[in-house]
Amino acid sequence: MGNQPLIVLSEESQRTSGKDAQSMNITAGTAVAEAVRTTLGPKGMDKMLVDSTGSVVVTNDGVTILDEMDIEHPAANMVVEVAQTQEDEVGDGTTTAVVIAGELLSKAEDLLDQDIHATILAQGYRQAAEEAKNIVEGIAIEVEEDDTEALESVARTAMTGKGAENAKDHLSELVVRAIQSVADEEGIDTDNVQVETVVGSSIDESDLVEGVIVDKERVHDNMPKFKEDADIALVDTAIEVPETELDTEVNVSDPEQLQQFLDQEEKQLREMVDAIVDAGADVVFCQKGIDDMAQHYLAEEGILAVRRAKKSDMKALARSTGARVISNIEDTTADDLGFAGSVSEKELAGDEKIFVEDVDEARAVTLILRGGTEHVVDEVERAIQDSLGVVAATLEDGKVVPGGGAPETELSLQLRDFADSVGGREQLAVESFADAIDVIPRTLAENAGLDPIDSLVELRSEHDSDNTSFGLDANTGEVADMEGEAVEPLRVKTQAIESATEAAVMLLRIDDVIAAGDLKGGSGDDDDEPAGGPGGMGGGMGGMGGMGGMGGAM
Ligand code: ADP
Ligand code: MG
């Protein structure tokens, strides 16, 4: 064998291995955490994000910031995924999860520098995370299903520091009512709470419609605008005469034949409408089109009909009114119909919409959010989505933990004790994990303009005396019992720990990065990225680090 190197990779591909790979990934991961750190907690700051077309989003929501940021570095994206998982699983705690992941990585770097092997580190982190879940469960507080007050407190906590702040009492009441309405034997699907935003009045005037709002008008002006005690038909096929399948031409030689042909069509339409009328329907929602002639017949019968309703609306209507979706119009029976006390066409935000209300058991509801400007309502909507998520999680699991860094303080104390029982080199990893978790109370204090060291010392001393629900009240700046102040579902914490640990461990175990394109040169897969957009890690990440740096020193 000669000493000619064997080249197996193409010329453009780039390879980074060993310590370099690890430290590159750690830098990218921690930069993501830095980017959202200053938004954490009720006193966190907002960010203004401007995309390449100039459209602006002002937000405090971790996952929204990261989604808008157009991050390209693969390792950074693995940390962004932590936020996305958190959003999917609980709907809140996205910043927390990312900040923990970043801190786990940065603490790991110290250990790697001390020549602790990544495998040992990974093992220690995993052990610590397992134990952490037991510890938070140990301090969890039970919440009964009908404890509306506790649920509202959970809803309020998720809204603190967001655009919804001013009206959070009113909004949290609506959120809890909404979730309680859509809960059923199979659990809670927050998709059954539709959110409609309206620009142009105050947040206090937001309201909950215990029913469905369909963003459509009546199909014909001669139809009634209002139906009381309405029997409702949901049809998912067109109320039209099916077009002939074959592309044939019909040759008619005399006018009588043509008339016959048209009569035949009319007769078919008449039969369809009759089937609906005979079943007793007062209102028809059709997912497809309705022929002009059929519209006319329906109007004559005093029926309120809507065409081209969205599939999601049809589903919500079926849930709320108890209607069965009809695919075969001829076979419609009274049993297929649903019921609502009131169906009406009303104006909302400048458009006519159909309100289906007064249903027996509203299993799909609509939250109407109002606010002064579009940016305000958008941010309120994000806060509401978080809030819906946490109330649902609380109802499902029946457990909450106090906020303000209380669980994290308890965790880091108990994990340090646990570390002693682990022994070996893993012990160091468990200790680092415990240190890393402290980032949450520390950041809450920093963002509230308090001295993080003082706050941490005070928190630890309370927890040493078994005051497990003591946290940092960001509004008063005091360390106090948070149980009545801020509470979050247990799942927010367990999920954040789990996904943050997994992402950190996964990144740490990588010692070789082989990229098909040029990593630092920017996009390998993006096609039309404008020249000014974030490049790869070199440009993009550096910029973000700067953003995070605004929040003050660690
Ligand atoms: P996330 O995206 O992680 O939900 P948030 O900005 O919503 O980030 O902040 C959540 C953190 O704020 C949690 O640790 C929660 O306990 C804390 N928090 C909420 N209300 C208060 C409060 N009144 N005082 C102190 N901390 C609070
Ligand atoms: Mg939150």
Side-chain angles (χ1 to χ4, degrees):
M1 296 284 274
N3 35 15
Q4 194 84 347
L6 174 65
I7 297 169
V8 291
L9 296 170
S10 82
E11 248 177 81
E12 288 89 62
S13 55
Q14 191 186 303
R15 182 166 183 175
T16 321
S17 9
K19 277 249 157 87
D20 285 348
Q22 275 169 341
S23 83
M24 177 179 82
N25 286 342
I26 289 173
T27 310
T30 48
V32 172
E34 272 305 303
V36 293
R37 228 168 76 91
T38 57
T39 68
L40 184 78
K43 299 282 170 175
M45 302 296 279
D46 296 347
K47 285 195 192 294
M48 180 188 262
L49 302 150
V50 187
D51 76 5
S52 53
T53 64
S55 88
V56 173
V57 177
V58 178
T59 186
N60 179 288
D61 188 46
V63 71
T64 308
I65 296 169
L66 297 174
D67 279 347
E68 295 280 332
M69 260 174 34
D70 199 9
I71 290 166
E72 280 187 9
H73 194 282
N77 268 322
M78 286 171 63
V79 177
V80 175
E81 274 172 25
V82 172
Q84 281 153 354
T85 309
Q86 184 79 16
E87 176 82 356
D88 293 344
E89 297 291 321
V90 212
D92 189 26
T94 56
T95 316
T96 304
V98 169
V99 168
I100 293 178
E103 197 66 10
L104 286 175
L105 286 172
S106 117
K107 289 279 182 276
E109 192 162 34
D110 299 342
L111 293 185
L112 290 172
D113 287 345
Q114 294 169 41
D115 279 331
I116 309 269
H117 196 273
T119 313
I120 305 275
L121 244 171
Q123 248 163 31
Y125 272 9
R126 284 229 173 87
Q127 266 177 295
E130 233 6 82
E131 181 64 17
K133 278 194 262 171
N134 298 334
I135 298 171
V136 260
E137 264 163 44
I139 63 163
I141 305 159
E142 308 247 334
V143 171
E144 297 295 325
E145 231 169 89
D146 53 2
D147 190 347
T148 307
E149 206 174 307
L151 293 173
E152 283 177 7
S153 171
V154 171
R156 257 198 315 272
T157 304
M159 279 182 227
T160 13
K162 315 268 177 217
E165 180 81 41
N166 296 333
K168 64 182 179 184
D169 290 337
H170 177 53
L171 290 176
S172 55
E173 194 199 308
L174 298 184
V175 164
V176 171
R177 242 168 62 204
I179 292 292
Q180 281 173 334
S181 300
V182 302
D184 63 19
E185 313 77 43
E186 280 156 40
I188 300 162
D189 184 351
T190 50
D191 285 345
N192 289 317
V193 182
Q194 290 183 51
V195 179
E196 290 275 341
T197 54
V198 182
V199 175
S201 57
S202 105
I203 304 183
D204 307 312
E205 281 161 55
S206 299
D207 204 1
L208 183 71
V209 174
E210 302 203 12
V212 182
I213 301 178
V214 180
D215 190 2
K216 292 280 175 210
E217 295 180 33
R218 295 165 299 155
V219 69
H220 197 287
D221 281 342
N222 288 346
M223 289 178 173
K225 275 198 167 187
F226 174 68
K227 279 286 195 182
E228 202 177 357
D229 294 336
D231 289 312
I232 299 171
L234 304 179
V235 180
D236 72 356
T237 49
I239 310 183
E240 288 166 351
V241 176
E243 304 215 350
T244 38
E245 296 262 320
L246 297 166
D247 200 6
T248 46
E249 225 171 86
V250 185
N251 281 314
V252 281
S253 43
D254 67 294
E256 213 161 285
Q257 250 181 321
L258 177 64
Q259 194 53 46
Q260 249 180 18
F261 188 74
L262 292 177
D263 286 350
Q264 180 59 27
E265 266 203 16
E266 265 186 47
K267 189 165 156 268
Q268 270 180 286
L269 287 170
R270 184 78 243 183
E271 277 169 9
M272 287 175 143
V273 172
D274 283 347
I276 293 169
V277 174
D278 291 345
D282 305 300
V283 174
V284 177
F285 288 94
C286 179
Q287 202 182 321
K288 302 272 169 58
I290 304 179
D291 184 273
D292 289 351
M293 191 61 81
Q295 291 177 19
H296 173 75
Y297 291 149
L298 287 165
E300 266 183 0
E301 299 284 349
I303 289 177
L304 190 169
V306 172
R307 69 171 163 189
R308 303 209 185 282
K310 280 192 295 188
K311 192 163 183 202
S312 57
D313 285 338
M314 297 292 277
K315 255 171 119 174
L317 286 166
R319 260 180 80 87
S320 287
T321 67
R324 263 202 304 260
V325 176
I326 301 159
S327 302
N328 209 338
I329 298 176
E330 286 77 21
D331 302 337
T332 309
T333 68
D335 280 349
D336 296 324
L337 306 183
F339 178 83
S342 140
V343 177
S344 52
E345 185 182 274
K346 291 192 256 187
E347 199 215 278
L348 182 70
D351 288 322
E352 299 297 322
K353 296 185 182 176
I354 307 288
F355 286 61
V356 180
E357 296 170 271
D358 296 340
V359 286
D360 260 355
E361 227 182 308
R363 296 197 141 179
V365 299
T366 309
L367 251 172
I368 304 180
L369 294 182
R370 297 175 189 273
T373 73
E374 207 176 315
H375 290 135
V376 172
V377 245
D378 285 353
E379 179 68 348
V380 172
E381 181 177 359
R382 284 187 285 270
I384 291 291
Q385 293 295 1
D386 286 5
S387 203
L388 288 167
V390 290
V391 174
T394 308
L395 262 185
E396 279 172 359
D397 304 347
K399 283 188 179 155
V400 294
V401 289
E408 289 85 358
T409 310
E410 188 64 25
L411 270 178
S412 75
L413 280 179
Q414 289 200 35
L415 280 175
R416 280 190 195 100
D417 290 343
F418 171 70
D420 295 339
S421 73
V422 171
R425 292 191 150 211
E426 281 92 347
Q427 174 172 354
L428 297 175
V430 176
E431 277 164 8
S432 289
F433 192 101
D435 290 344
I437 296 289
D438 267 341
V439 72
I440 298 298
R442 194 168 66 231
T443 307
L444 287 173
E446 273 170 24
N447 289 351
L450 302 166
D451 184 308
I453 309 264
D454 290 350
S455 301
L456 276 187
V457 168
E458 211 177 321
L459 277 170
R460 280 188 196 148
S461 96
E462 291 293 350
H463 282 254
D464 270 335
S465 338
D466 278 342
N467 290 326
T468 54
S469 59
F470 271 57
L472 182 70
D473 187 339
N475 295 317
T476 58
E478 306 283 325
V479 168
D481 189 344
M482 296 300 281
E483 198 180 323
E485 285 303 312
V487 276
E488 298 174 277
L490 173 64
R491 208 196 297 172
V492 168
K493 297 300 170 194
T494 50
Q495 182 65 48
I497 292 167
E498 192 175 305
S499 27
T501 310
E502 257 165 35
V505 164
M506 194 181 233
L507 277 175
L508 291 172
R509 291 175 51 92
I510 296 169
D511 78 340
D512 200 357
V513 178
I514 304 155
D518 179 2
L519 246 193
K520 295 195 179 92
S523 53
D525 53 350
D526 231 12
D527 30 18
D528 52 5
E529 180 66 24
M537 148 158 138
M541 285 301 152
M544 284 189 299
M547 262 158 91
M550 293 190 303
M554 291 254 299

